[in-house]
Every structure is written in structure tokens, then in C-alpha cells.
Amino acid sequence: MKRSLYVLCVLSLCFVAMPLLAQSVPEIPYDSVPNLLKMPDDIYLGEVLGVSTNSKGHLFVFTRTGSVNVTTGTNRVFVRSGSRLFEFDQNGKYLREIGQNLYAFIEAHNVKVDPQDNIWAVDEGSSMIVKFDPEGRVIMTMGRKPEAVDNPARQEPPLAAGSGAGVPGDNFNGPSDVAWDATGDIFVADGSRNSRVAKFDKNGAFIKSWGTRGTAPGQFNAPHSIVVDSKDNIYVADRGNKRIQVFDTDGNFKTQYTNVGSPWELCITSGAHQYIYSSDSNNTDFGPATIYKMELDGTVLGKFGEGGKQLKQFGTIHQMDCRKDNELYVGEITNWRVQKLILKPEKVESSRASAAK
């Protein structure tokens, strides 16, 4: 009899706890702005891998168009133009294309805008990062596009086979993302085929790198996104290991967050009180597609999103911009679009206040 009462009590506690667990991460209401981008009649988006804003609110979209051009040289074949970089104004009006037919544009992966409004395009296919000034002129390149045909005169440094550590310098192997600290030092997530973070000074000179392929703290399995907060903490979306790792600017491990699924993309808001958004993107059309809003200490404040093809649904979010706290731009691979999301966290706070009464 006592055993039966014990089991009944345990089950009762479980049923009471289940709603509490379900409510532990509230859903944040949000809307999506329809007809965001006004494209010219003869220009189309392909898969949207990158989206970012500058200080004016202008929108930069890095898309894979698939229009690859090949030029035959004396002993090399040059491949270019598989991706395109577009600029729109704050209202979504098309302004221009940047880097048209650029040698490095093969397979878009990410675009970022630094505090000086320079535009950084990360191309996975060419293993290059290209820095443009606000006028769209190339002012720095990092990495070097692999030879399409063997060149006997050029000897590549040996790769660290299997470790993911790569080699010192900007010999990237499918870079994923780029970020900067307060001094202007550059941090590159070299994560599509390597598993490291590389650090450079503001002029592009190599300083150090850290990380190998693995599951221990400081190791990575596809470091896919990298961001820096106002205190120069480095956050890395360690996608394959389903965690966010936090480091100082020397690569020393500080902590990790394992409560947001498999993070594909991170962004940090501006302002005195910063938040971090993390996207657990879906690989299938209607799979889970959750964006989490977090404090910088890893506390999850809320979540939102679902997979699908309609407005307010997501098809593999690859990059987010959250310059403003409750205004997000998301670039989607499988839906070939950018959405502007307006969050309404005040409704969550209102619900909490009502429940507390």
C-alpha cells in the first residue's frame, strides 16, 4: 500500500512539473514584414547565406546565384561569380551590386559590417574573406583561392591532416564567419573544413589560432558562427557539438552553453544591455527551426520560430542581424529570402505579470 502511494505521489509530481518545464522557456510573439526587398525585374536572389546591416540601416545580402563563369589562363582555370552581394536601403529598395564578377565570389557563406561600415564578405568556395570600404572598393583580402589546375611552381604548406587545426596564417579551408574585438583585431571561424579560430591584427597580420576537431572544451566540430560582445568575450557556435563556447581574446576557454540545440548562427545586439540570439536551424523544410534569445551568461529568455515556407516560418536560417534589440533580419537557404522580424517581448512580460497576480 505504501509503495502504491509513493508511486502515485511521484507520478503526481511529474504531471505537475511537466507544465512548469514547458513554460520554462516562453514563446516570444513576433511578426514578419511582408514584401521586404524590392528587387529589380532582372535580378533574383538564390540561396541567402548572408545578411547584415550598416549604421544607416542599409541591408547587405550575400546570395549564391549559381552563375559560375570560367576563364582559361595559361596554366590555370579561373572560376568566379557563383555568388553576388547586393545592397538595399533601410526600406528595402535595391541600391547596387558590390563586387560584380569578383574573382573570390564562388560560394557565399557570410557577410558582416564592422563598426566603420566596412563590408566583409566570407566565401567558403574560394576560402577567402574580402573587405570592402563603404563605397564598395576592395581594401583587403584574406586567404587565397585554391588553384583550379595544379601549378608546379607553387608549393602549398602541409595541412594538419585530420586534426582540423589548419596551418598558421590565413590559409583558410572553408572559412565560416568573421568578427572583431574593440581594438580591431580580427577573428575568423575557419570551420567549414577546418575546426579552428584564427586571430589577426587589424591589418591582417596573423597572431595565433586555437582549436582542433573534437568534443573537449576548446575543440570544435564545425565552428559555424563567431561574435564578440562589448567586453571582448568571443562566442563561437560549435554547431556539430551542439554548444556555444565562450573564450577571451587569447583563446582561453571560459564557459559553454548547451541549452540551445545545434547553433548555426549567433548575433549580439548593440546598446548598454546586450543580448545574444542563437538559431537552431532546420535541415528539412518543416523541421524544428527555433531562434533563442539569451542573456550573455547563457540564460534563455525566450524562443520563437518554426520550419516552413510561409511568412514567419523558416527554411534553414544561415545568418541573422540583430543590430536593434527586437528587430532581426534572417537569411534563409532553402526559402531563398530575407525576412525582417519584429519581436514583441512586452507581451511575454505582460503574461508573466498577469500570472504572478
Side-chain angles (χ1 to χ4, degrees):
M1 181 66 179
K2 289 182 179 180
R3 180 178 176 83
S4 298
L5 287 173
Y6 174 77
V7 172
L8 182 62
C9 289
V10 170
L11 290 173
S12 299
L13 287 171
C14 287
F15 282 117
V16 170
M18 284 172 65
L20 294 176
L21 288 171
Q23 295 172 9
S24 61
V25 180
E27 292 284 337
I28 301 175
Y30 67 102
D31 286 322
S32 178
V33 177
N35 304 315
L36 174 63
L37 300 181
K38 287 74 175 177
M39 301 291 298
D41 291 339
D42 58 344
I43 295 180
Y44 302 91
L45 293 181
E47 296 179 340
V48 175
L49 276 288
V51 59
S52 192
T53 60
N54 67 7
S55 62
K56 299 177 182 177
H58 288 194
L59 194 63
F60 298 86
V61 178
F62 202 18
T63 176
R64 294 177 181 174
T65 61
S67 301
V68 177
N69 295 311
V70 177
T71 302
T72 302
T74 55
N75 65 338
R76 288 185 286 175
V77 175
F78 300 93
V79 181
R80 66 184 190 283
S81 305
S83 297
R84 302 175 76 177
L85 177 59
F86 301 125
E87 181 180 356
F88 302 83
D89 72 10
Q90 63 273 22
N91 298 313
K93 179 183 176 182
Y94 177 87
L95 296 179
R96 60 173 174 164
E97 180 174 357
I98 299 172
Q100 188 172 20
N101 295 321
L102 194 71
Y103 177 62
F105 281 4
I106 298 177
E107 192 176 2
H109 199 272
N110 186 285
V111 63
K112 286 279 187 72
V113 179
D114 68 21
Q116 292 74 43
D117 275 351
N118 299 303
I119 307 139
W120 298 65
V122 181
D123 193 286
E124 178 184 7
S126 66
S127 288
M128 292 190 68
I129 299 174
V130 181
K131 177 183 179 182
F132 301 89
D133 68 14
E135 286 70 45
R137 294 185 290 265
V138 175
I139 55 176
M140 186 166 70
T141 62
M142 302 178 71
R144 188 172 190 271
K145 184 176 174 179
E147 304 290 356
V149 175
D150 290 339
N151 183 348
R154 181 168 180 260
Q155 298 296 320
E156 292 284 358
L159 295 176
S163 74
V167 293
D170 63 354
N171 295 284
F172 306 128
N173 193 1
S176 305
D177 198 2
V178 64
W180 314 269
D181 66 12
T183 67
D185 284 348
I186 305 162
F187 297 84
V188 176
D190 189 14
S192 293
R193 291 177 286 276
N194 281 333
S195 289
R196 67 164 182 156
V197 172
K199 178 180 179 180
F200 306 83
D201 70 16
K202 63 182 179 180
N203 298 313
F206 178 72
I207 297 175
K208 67 182 300 183
S209 66
W210 70 89
T212 56
R213 189 171 293 108
T215 59
Q219 292 186 308
F220 304 107
N221 183 3
H224 197 255
S225 179
I226 187 167
V227 291
V228 184
D229 69 17
S230 61
K231 296 181 180 179
D232 280 349
N233 296 301
I234 314 294
Y235 301 78
V236 180
D238 188 6
R239 186 179 71 183
N241 287 326
K242 296 185 177 181
R243 63 186 178 184
I244 299 169
Q245 295 196 65
V246 187
F247 303 89
D248 65 20
T249 54
D250 288 322
N252 298 306
F253 175 81
K254 300 181 74 172
T255 188
Q256 64 181 8
Y257 310 141
T258 59
N259 54 346
V260 289
S262 180
W264 280 57
E265 166 65 6
L266 305 175
C267 67
I268 288 183
T269 62
S270 56
H273 188 145
Q274 293 184 295
Y275 299 95
I276 187 167
Y277 288 90
S278 177
S279 171
D280 181 8
S281 295
N282 53 325
N283 285 316
T284 59
D285 287 342
F286 298 99
T290 306
I291 299 175
Y292 294 90
K293 182 177 183 180
M294 311 163 63
E295 296 282 5
L296 297 184
D297 66 1
T299 302
V300 177
L301 301 175
K303 61 185 178 68
F304 59 95
E306 63 177 356
K309 301 178 181 298
Q310 303 304 310
L311 209 61
K312 296 179 61 175
Q313 296 179 324
F314 307 127
T316 314
I317 295 172
H318 196 266
Q319 190 174 355
M320 301 183 293
D321 179 278
C322 58
R323 185 180 289 264
K324 297 181 180 178
D325 181 11
N326 292 308
E327 181 179 292
L328 274 71
Y329 291 93
V330 298
E332 303 172 57
I333 296 178
T334 59
N335 286 335
W336 294 14
R337 68 181 177 188
V338 175
Q339 290 194 71
K340 179 180 180 179
L341 309 178
I342 308 298
L343 275 58
K344 301 178 180 179
E346 67 277 1
K347 291 188 177 181
V348 176
E349 297 300 325
S350 177
S351 298
R352 284 177 175 171
S354 298
K357 291 180 181 179

